Amino acid sequence: SVAASTAQSTAEPTPAVTLTQSISSAAGDMQIQVPDGWSDLRSQLDPAGTADQDYPIQTGDYDEESFLIINGEDKMNTSIASLQEYSDMLVQGVSANAAFSDVKKEATADMTLSASGFAAKKTKFIASYSGQQIAYWVYAAEGTSKYYQICCWTADDNASNAEPKFEAAVNSFTAAG
C-alpha cells in the first residue's frame, strides 16, 4: 500500500544484519547464511517429516518466532514457463491455503539475490494462522535449471525486526542449478 511504502521510506535506517553461520540441504545443493540464534530446524517444524522431504532447508529462531524454509523444483518437471508464472502460482497457493485466513497481499518487489545473481520476486502477506496474525513472505527465484521457493514467517508484531534478517538470509541463498 502507499501508506506502507511511505512509512518504510521515512523509517530509521535498518541496522546491518550479520550472518554468522551456514545451513545446507542434506544433498549439499542449496545453502543459506543465517544470523546468530538461528539453527537447522529439519524434523522440528513438522514432526511428521513431510516438510523434511518437501523443504530441504528449514531454519529459524524459536525465541524470535522467525522461520524460513526453501525448496527447489526442476524446470523440466513443470509446465511453468517463467519466473512470473512461478511467483503467481506461489502467491495463489498462499492465498488459497486452508491453514490461513484473512490473507492480505501487502507488497511485491522484483529483486536479484546478491550471492547467486538469481532473479527473484518477493511477495509479502499478512494473514491469520491458528488465531495469530503473521507476516509471511514468499520469494520465487529462478536458477539455471530450477525454480526456488523461499518462505519466511513471523508474528506480525515482529515483522519489522524479522524482515531485515529474512532479506539478508534470502540474499545469501546459493544453489547448484
Side-chain angles (χ1 to χ4, degrees):
S1 74
V2 174
S5 299
T6 304
Q8 285 181 332
S9 65
T10 58
E12 291 296 313
T14 305
V17 174
T18 303
L19 304 175
T20 57
Q21 53 190 329
S22 296
I23 294 183
S24 299
S25 60
D29 58 341
M30 291 185 263
Q31 184 175 4
I32 195 163
Q33 307 295 311
V34 297
D36 271 343
W38 286 43
S39 57
D40 187 339
L41 298 178
R42 279 178 287 204
S43 10
Q44 295 178 46
L45 291 179
D46 175 19
T50 307
D52 287 0
Q53 294 171 359
D54 295 341
Y55 295 92
I57 291 181
Q58 301 173 45
T59 182
D61 183 332
Y62 277 111
D63 292 338
E64 291 188 1
E65 296 181 338
S66 298
F67 305 98
L68 181 152
I69 57 176
I70 303 173
N71 75 1
E73 182 171 359
D74 195 320
K75 289 180 179 180
M76 299 298 280
N77 296 338
T78 180
S79 61
I80 294 167
S82 69
L83 177 59
Q84 183 64 57
E85 262 186 63
Y86 186 65
S87 178
D88 290 347
M89 180 195 73
L90 297 179
V91 166
Q92 177 60 34
V94 171
S95 300
N97 188 324
F100 297 143
S101 59
D102 301 322
V103 178
K104 295 173 188 72
K105 189 162 91 170
E106 291 260 304
T108 59
D110 292 331
M111 57 190 292
T112 301
L113 303 186
S114 23
S116 63
F118 293 166
K121 295 190 174 291
K122 170 184 167 183
T123 305
K124 179 184 178 187
F125 299 89
I126 300 297
S128 184
Y129 176 78
S130 296
Q132 181 181 14
Q133 283 291 108
I134 63 166
Y136 194 91
W137 292 263
V138 174
Y139 295 81
E142 183 173 14
T144 309
S145 60
K146 290 185 176 185
Y147 291 111
Y148 297 95
Q149 171 185 358
I150 306 171
C151 300
C152 311
W153 66 95
T154 191
D156 188 33
D157 61 5
N158 187 47
S160 60
N161 174 56
E163 187 168 15
K165 294 176 184 179
F166 290 146
E167 195 81 2
V170 169
N171 269 295
S172 78
F173 175 68
T174 56

